[in-house]
Short mmCIF file of all heavy atoms in Angstrom, two decimals:
data_model
loop_
_atom_site.label_atom_id
_atom_site.label_comp_id
_atom_site.label_asym_id
_atom_site.label_seq_id
_atom_site.Cartn_x
_atom_site.Cartn_y
_atom_site.Cartn_z
N ILE A 27 0.75 -1.40 -7.31
CA ILE A 27 0.97 -0.20 -8.13
C ILE A 27 1.65 -0.62 -9.42
O ILE A 27 2.51 -1.52 -9.43
CB ILE A 27 1.78 0.84 -7.37
CG1 ILE A 27 1.80 2.17 -8.15
CG2 ILE A 27 3.20 0.37 -7.07
CD1 ILE A 27 2.29 3.34 -7.31
N SER A 28 1.24 0.04 -10.51
CA SER A 28 1.92 -0.13 -11.81
C SER A 28 3.00 0.94 -11.90
O SER A 28 2.71 2.13 -11.86
CB SER A 28 0.93 0.03 -12.94
OG SER A 28 1.60 0.10 -14.19
N ASN A 29 4.23 0.52 -12.04
CA ASN A 29 5.35 1.48 -12.10
C ASN A 29 5.40 2.17 -13.45
O ASN A 29 6.08 3.20 -13.57
CB ASN A 29 6.66 0.75 -11.82
CG ASN A 29 6.79 0.34 -10.37
OD1 ASN A 29 6.27 0.98 -9.48
ND2 ASN A 29 7.46 -0.80 -10.15
N SER A 30 4.68 1.67 -14.45
CA SER A 30 4.68 2.32 -15.77
C SER A 30 3.76 3.50 -15.84
O SER A 30 4.10 4.50 -16.48
CB SER A 30 4.33 1.31 -16.86
OG SER A 30 3.01 0.85 -16.73
N ASP A 31 2.58 3.42 -15.20
CA ASP A 31 1.59 4.51 -15.34
C ASP A 31 0.97 4.95 -13.99
O ASP A 31 0.10 5.82 -14.00
CB ASP A 31 0.48 4.14 -16.31
CG ASP A 31 -0.29 2.89 -15.93
OD1 ASP A 31 -0.19 2.47 -14.77
OD2 ASP A 31 -0.99 2.36 -16.81
N GLY A 32 1.38 4.35 -12.89
CA GLY A 32 0.94 4.79 -11.58
C GLY A 32 -0.42 4.24 -11.13
O GLY A 32 -0.90 4.66 -10.08
N ARG A 33 -1.03 3.36 -11.90
CA ARG A 33 -2.32 2.78 -11.50
C ARG A 33 -2.18 2.11 -10.12
O ARG A 33 -1.16 1.53 -9.83
CB ARG A 33 -2.81 1.74 -12.51
CG ARG A 33 -3.43 2.34 -13.76
CD ARG A 33 -3.83 1.24 -14.71
NE ARG A 33 -2.66 0.53 -15.22
CZ ARG A 33 -2.74 -0.60 -15.90
NH1 ARG A 33 -3.91 -1.18 -16.13
NH2 ARG A 33 -1.60 -1.18 -16.35
N GLN A 34 -3.23 2.23 -9.30
CA GLN A 34 -3.21 1.71 -7.95
C GLN A 34 -4.41 0.80 -7.70
O GLN A 34 -5.51 1.06 -8.20
CB GLN A 34 -3.19 2.83 -6.91
CG GLN A 34 -2.00 3.77 -7.06
CD GLN A 34 -2.15 4.98 -6.18
OE1 GLN A 34 -2.98 5.04 -5.28
NE2 GLN A 34 -1.30 5.97 -6.43
N TYR A 35 -4.19 -0.21 -6.93
CA TYR A 35 -5.27 -1.12 -6.49
C TYR A 35 -5.21 -1.27 -4.98
O TYR A 35 -4.13 -1.31 -4.39
CB TYR A 35 -5.08 -2.52 -7.13
CG TYR A 35 -5.82 -3.59 -6.40
CD1 TYR A 35 -7.20 -3.81 -6.63
CD2 TYR A 35 -5.18 -4.40 -5.47
CE1 TYR A 35 -7.90 -4.77 -5.95
CE2 TYR A 35 -5.89 -5.36 -4.77
CZ TYR A 35 -7.23 -5.54 -5.02
OH TYR A 35 -7.91 -6.52 -4.34
N TYR A 36 -6.40 -1.34 -4.35
CA TYR A 36 -6.51 -1.58 -2.91
C TYR A 36 -7.61 -2.58 -2.66
O TYR A 36 -8.70 -2.48 -3.28
CB TYR A 36 -6.83 -0.31 -2.14
CG TYR A 36 -5.83 0.79 -2.33
CD1 TYR A 36 -6.01 1.78 -3.29
CD2 TYR A 36 -4.71 0.85 -1.53
CE1 TYR A 36 -5.08 2.78 -3.46
CE2 TYR A 36 -3.77 1.86 -1.69
CZ TYR A 36 -3.96 2.83 -2.65
OH TYR A 36 -3.04 3.85 -2.82
N VAL A 37 -7.36 -3.51 -1.77
CA VAL A 37 -8.44 -4.38 -1.32
C VAL A 37 -9.39 -3.55 -0.48
O VAL A 37 -9.00 -2.56 0.17
CB VAL A 37 -7.85 -5.59 -0.50
CG1 VAL A 37 -7.26 -5.12 0.80
CG2 VAL A 37 -8.87 -6.67 -0.32
N ASP A 38 -10.67 -3.93 -0.49
CA ASP A 38 -11.73 -3.09 0.11
C ASP A 38 -11.43 -2.79 1.59
O ASP A 38 -11.73 -1.67 2.04
CB ASP A 38 -13.08 -3.77 0.01
CG ASP A 38 -13.65 -3.74 -1.39
OD1 ASP A 38 -13.15 -2.96 -2.22
OD2 ASP A 38 -14.63 -4.46 -1.66
N SER A 39 -10.87 -3.69 2.30
CA SER A 39 -10.67 -3.52 3.74
C SER A 39 -9.67 -2.45 4.11
O SER A 39 -9.62 -1.99 5.26
CB SER A 39 -10.25 -4.86 4.38
OG SER A 39 -9.01 -5.33 3.85
N VAL A 40 -8.84 -1.99 3.15
CA VAL A 40 -7.86 -0.94 3.46
C VAL A 40 -8.11 0.34 2.72
O VAL A 40 -7.37 1.31 2.92
CB VAL A 40 -6.42 -1.45 3.18
CG1 VAL A 40 -6.17 -2.76 3.89
CG2 VAL A 40 -6.13 -1.56 1.72
N LYS A 41 -9.11 0.39 1.86
CA LYS A 41 -9.41 1.62 1.10
C LYS A 41 -9.70 2.76 2.04
O LYS A 41 -10.44 2.64 3.00
CB LYS A 41 -10.60 1.40 0.16
CG LYS A 41 -10.27 0.54 -1.05
CD LYS A 41 -11.48 0.37 -1.95
CE LYS A 41 -11.15 -0.47 -3.15
NZ LYS A 41 -12.33 -0.71 -4.02
N GLY A 42 -9.08 3.90 1.76
CA GLY A 42 -9.24 5.06 2.61
C GLY A 42 -8.27 5.12 3.76
O GLY A 42 -8.16 6.17 4.43
N ARG A 43 -7.56 4.03 4.04
CA ARG A 43 -6.62 4.00 5.16
C ARG A 43 -5.19 3.83 4.67
O ARG A 43 -4.27 4.37 5.28
CB ARG A 43 -6.95 2.86 6.12
CG ARG A 43 -8.33 2.98 6.76
CD ARG A 43 -8.50 1.99 7.89
NE ARG A 43 -8.42 0.60 7.45
CZ ARG A 43 -7.53 -0.29 7.88
NH1 ARG A 43 -6.66 0.04 8.80
NH2 ARG A 43 -7.55 -1.54 7.41
N PHE A 44 -4.97 3.03 3.63
CA PHE A 44 -3.62 2.75 3.12
C PHE A 44 -3.43 3.48 1.79
O PHE A 44 -4.36 3.63 0.98
CB PHE A 44 -3.44 1.24 2.87
CG PHE A 44 -3.39 0.39 4.11
CD1 PHE A 44 -3.71 0.87 5.38
CD2 PHE A 44 -3.04 -0.96 3.98
CE1 PHE A 44 -3.68 0.07 6.49
CE2 PHE A 44 -2.97 -1.79 5.11
CZ PHE A 44 -3.32 -1.27 6.34
N THR A 45 -2.18 3.90 1.54
CA THR A 45 -1.82 4.52 0.30
C THR A 45 -0.51 3.92 -0.21
O THR A 45 0.48 3.90 0.50
CB THR A 45 -1.66 6.04 0.45
OG1 THR A 45 -2.83 6.62 0.98
CG2 THR A 45 -1.33 6.67 -0.90
N ILE A 46 -0.52 3.45 -1.47
CA ILE A 46 0.68 2.93 -2.10
C ILE A 46 1.29 4.01 -2.96
O ILE A 46 0.56 4.80 -3.60
CB ILE A 46 0.39 1.63 -2.88
CG1 ILE A 46 1.69 0.93 -3.29
CG2 ILE A 46 -0.48 1.92 -4.11
CD1 ILE A 46 1.47 -0.47 -3.82
N SER A 47 2.60 4.06 -3.03
CA SER A 47 3.29 5.04 -3.83
C SER A 47 4.61 4.46 -4.31
O SER A 47 5.08 3.45 -3.74
CB SER A 47 3.51 6.35 -3.13
OG SER A 47 4.33 6.17 -1.97
N SER A 48 5.17 5.05 -5.33
CA SER A 48 6.42 4.55 -5.91
C SER A 48 7.37 5.68 -6.19
O SER A 48 6.96 6.74 -6.69
CB SER A 48 6.11 3.79 -7.19
OG SER A 48 7.29 3.25 -7.77
N ASP A 49 8.62 5.47 -5.85
CA ASP A 49 9.70 6.40 -6.24
C ASP A 49 10.57 5.65 -7.23
O ASP A 49 11.44 4.87 -6.85
CB ASP A 49 10.50 6.81 -4.99
CG ASP A 49 11.54 7.85 -5.29
OD1 ASP A 49 11.95 8.00 -6.45
OD2 ASP A 49 11.98 8.54 -4.34
N ASN A 50 10.32 5.89 -8.51
CA ASN A 50 11.02 5.13 -9.53
C ASN A 50 12.53 5.41 -9.54
O ASN A 50 13.31 4.53 -9.88
CB ASN A 50 10.41 5.42 -10.91
CG ASN A 50 9.08 4.77 -11.11
OD1 ASN A 50 8.55 4.15 -10.19
ND2 ASN A 50 8.50 4.91 -12.30
N ALA A 51 12.91 6.63 -9.17
CA ALA A 51 14.33 6.94 -9.14
C ALA A 51 15.09 6.11 -8.13
O ALA A 51 16.28 5.80 -8.29
CB ALA A 51 14.53 8.42 -8.89
N LYS A 52 14.40 5.73 -7.06
CA LYS A 52 14.99 4.92 -6.01
C LYS A 52 14.61 3.43 -6.11
O LYS A 52 15.04 2.65 -5.27
CB LYS A 52 14.57 5.44 -4.63
CG LYS A 52 15.06 6.82 -4.31
CD LYS A 52 14.62 7.26 -2.93
CE LYS A 52 15.14 8.64 -2.58
NZ LYS A 52 14.72 9.08 -1.23
N SER A 53 13.80 3.09 -7.11
CA SER A 53 13.29 1.72 -7.25
C SER A 53 12.68 1.21 -5.94
O SER A 53 12.94 0.10 -5.49
CB SER A 53 14.39 0.77 -7.73
OG SER A 53 14.84 1.13 -9.04
N THR A 54 11.86 2.07 -5.34
CA THR A 54 11.30 1.75 -4.03
C THR A 54 9.81 2.04 -4.05
O THR A 54 9.38 3.06 -4.57
CB THR A 54 11.96 2.55 -2.90
OG1 THR A 54 13.35 2.25 -2.87
CG2 THR A 54 11.32 2.26 -1.57
N VAL A 55 9.02 1.12 -3.51
CA VAL A 55 7.60 1.28 -3.32
C VAL A 55 7.29 1.38 -1.86
O VAL A 55 7.89 0.66 -1.02
CB VAL A 55 6.82 0.11 -3.98
CG1 VAL A 55 5.35 0.12 -3.57
CG2 VAL A 55 6.96 0.18 -5.50
N TYR A 56 6.33 2.24 -1.50
CA TYR A 56 5.97 2.48 -0.12
C TYR A 56 4.51 2.11 0.09
O TYR A 56 3.67 2.19 -0.80
CB TYR A 56 6.16 3.93 0.26
CG TYR A 56 7.55 4.45 0.01
CD1 TYR A 56 7.88 5.10 -1.18
CD2 TYR A 56 8.54 4.27 0.95
CE1 TYR A 56 9.14 5.56 -1.42
CE2 TYR A 56 9.83 4.74 0.71
CZ TYR A 56 10.12 5.39 -0.47
OH TYR A 56 11.41 5.84 -0.70
N LEU A 57 4.18 1.71 1.31
CA LEU A 57 2.80 1.51 1.72
C LEU A 57 2.61 2.30 3.01
O LEU A 57 3.11 1.91 4.08
CB LEU A 57 2.49 0.02 1.96
CG LEU A 57 1.02 -0.28 2.24
CD1 LEU A 57 0.14 0.00 1.03
CD2 LEU A 57 0.85 -1.71 2.71
N GLN A 58 1.91 3.42 2.90
CA GLN A 58 1.56 4.24 4.06
C GLN A 58 0.28 3.70 4.65
O GLN A 58 -0.77 3.69 3.98
CB GLN A 58 1.39 5.70 3.65
CG GLN A 58 1.01 6.63 4.78
CD GLN A 58 2.11 6.76 5.84
OE1 GLN A 58 3.23 7.03 5.48
NE2 GLN A 58 1.74 6.59 7.10
N MET A 59 0.34 3.26 5.88
CA MET A 59 -0.79 2.66 6.56
C MET A 59 -1.21 3.61 7.68
O MET A 59 -0.42 3.91 8.59
CB MET A 59 -0.45 1.28 7.12
CG MET A 59 0.11 0.33 6.07
SD MET A 59 0.39 -1.33 6.71
CE MET A 59 1.76 -1.00 7.84
N ASN A 60 -2.45 4.07 7.63
CA ASN A 60 -2.99 4.93 8.65
C ASN A 60 -4.23 4.26 9.29
O ASN A 60 -4.80 3.32 8.76
CB ASN A 60 -3.43 6.27 8.04
CG ASN A 60 -2.25 7.07 7.52
OD1 ASN A 60 -1.16 7.02 8.04
ND2 ASN A 60 -2.49 7.79 6.41
N SER A 61 -4.63 4.79 10.45
CA SER A 61 -5.79 4.27 11.14
C SER A 61 -5.72 2.79 11.31
O SER A 61 -6.70 2.06 11.06
CB SER A 61 -7.08 4.70 10.45
OG SER A 61 -7.17 6.11 10.33
N LEU A 62 -4.59 2.28 11.76
CA LEU A 62 -4.37 0.85 11.84
C LEU A 62 -5.30 0.19 12.87
O LEU A 62 -5.65 0.78 13.92
CB LEU A 62 -2.92 0.55 12.17
CG LEU A 62 -1.98 0.70 11.00
CD1 LEU A 62 -0.55 0.78 11.45
CD2 LEU A 62 -2.15 -0.47 10.01
N LYS A 63 -5.70 -1.03 12.56
CA LYS A 63 -6.57 -1.82 13.40
C LYS A 63 -5.88 -3.12 13.78
O LYS A 63 -4.97 -3.58 13.08
CB LYS A 63 -7.87 -2.17 12.63
CG LYS A 63 -8.61 -0.98 12.05
CD LYS A 63 -9.77 -1.44 11.18
CE LYS A 63 -10.51 -0.26 10.58
NZ LYS A 63 -11.61 -0.70 9.71
N PRO A 64 -6.28 -3.75 14.90
CA PRO A 64 -5.66 -5.02 15.28
C PRO A 64 -5.72 -6.07 14.15
O PRO A 64 -4.79 -6.88 14.02
CB PRO A 64 -6.47 -5.46 16.48
CG PRO A 64 -6.89 -4.18 17.10
CD PRO A 64 -7.19 -3.27 15.95
N GLU A 65 -6.79 -6.06 13.34
CA GLU A 65 -6.89 -7.03 12.27
C GLU A 65 -5.90 -6.79 11.12
O GLU A 65 -5.80 -7.60 10.21
CB GLU A 65 -8.31 -7.09 11.70
CG GLU A 65 -8.89 -5.73 11.32
CD GLU A 65 -9.79 -5.15 12.39
OE1 GLU A 65 -9.38 -5.19 13.58
OE2 GLU A 65 -10.88 -4.66 12.06
N ASP A 66 -5.17 -5.66 11.16
CA ASP A 66 -4.11 -5.44 10.20
C ASP A 66 -2.82 -6.15 10.59
O ASP A 66 -1.85 -6.16 9.81
CB ASP A 66 -3.81 -3.92 10.06
CG ASP A 66 -4.98 -3.17 9.49
OD1 ASP A 66 -5.58 -3.63 8.50
OD2 ASP A 66 -5.27 -2.06 9.99
N THR A 67 -2.78 -6.73 11.78
CA THR A 67 -1.58 -7.44 12.24
C THR A 67 -1.27 -8.60 11.31
O THR A 67 -2.13 -9.45 11.08
CB THR A 67 -1.76 -7.93 13.66
OG1 THR A 67 -1.88 -6.81 14.55
CG2 THR A 67 -0.59 -8.77 14.12
N ALA A 68 -0.06 -8.66 10.78
CA ALA A 68 0.32 -9.69 9.83
C ALA A 68 1.78 -9.50 9.47
O ALA A 68 2.41 -8.47 9.77
CB ALA A 68 -0.53 -9.61 8.57
N VAL A 69 2.35 -10.48 8.80
CA VAL A 69 3.61 -10.32 8.09
C VAL A 69 3.28 -9.75 6.73
O VAL A 69 2.45 -10.30 5.98
CB VAL A 69 4.38 -11.64 7.94
CG1 VAL A 69 5.65 -11.42 7.15
CG2 VAL A 69 4.71 -12.19 9.32
N TYR A 70 3.90 -8.65 6.37
CA TYR A 70 3.68 -7.96 5.11
C TYR A 70 4.80 -8.25 4.14
O TYR A 70 5.99 -8.14 4.50
CB TYR A 70 3.53 -6.46 5.32
CG TYR A 70 2.18 -6.07 5.87
CD1 TYR A 70 1.85 -6.35 7.18
CD2 TYR A 70 1.24 -5.41 5.06
CE1 TYR A 70 0.60 -6.03 7.69
CE2 TYR A 70 0.00 -5.05 5.58
CZ TYR A 70 -0.33 -5.35 6.90
OH TYR A 70 -1.56 -4.99 7.39
N TYR A 71 4.46 -8.62 2.91
CA TYR A 71 5.41 -8.97 1.88
C TYR A 71 5.21 -8.06 0.66
O TYR A 71 4.08 -7.74 0.32
CB TYR A 71 5.22 -10.41 1.38
CG TYR A 71 5.35 -11.45 2.43
CD1 TYR A 71 4.25 -11.87 3.18
CD2 TYR A 71 6.58 -12.09 2.69
CE1 TYR A 71 4.36 -12.84 4.14
CE2 TYR A 71 6.69 -13.07 3.64
CZ TYR A 71 5.58 -13.46 4.37
OH TYR A 71 5.71 -14.45 5.32
N CYS A 72 6.29 -7.68 0.01
CA CYS A 72 6.16 -7.08 -1.30
C CYS A 72 6.57 -8.10 -2.36
O CYS A 72 7.32 -9.01 -2.08
CB CYS A 72 6.95 -5.76 -1.45
SG CYS A 72 8.74 -5.90 -1.34
#
């Protein structure tokens, strides 16, 4: 996510399932993951 204008990017494998968002007042970015699959298992880094 671009914190300046809110532009978002998703890799094809998570489109429609994951949503990225930003709360600039809290300097925090979120990744909402829905419809999770076993292949989503991983260590996630920001």
Side-chain angles (χ1 to χ4, degrees):
I27 190 166
S28 171
N29 291 327
S30 66
D31 60 15
R33 283 178 293 168
Q34 301 171 14
Y35 161 82
Y36 302 94
V37 69
D38 286 347
S39 61
V40 308
K41 287 180 179 177
R43 299 191 297 122
F44 291 10
T45 303
I46 192 168
S47 62
S48 181
D49 185 339
N50 286 3
K52 296 181 179 180
S53 296
T54 299
V55 169
Y56 305 94
L57 186 67
Q58 179 67 50
M59 305 184 293
N60 296 324
S61 302
L62 283 163
K63 305 173 181 179
E65 52 262 45
D66 295 317
T67 295
V69 177
Y70 283 71
Y71 302 88
C72 65

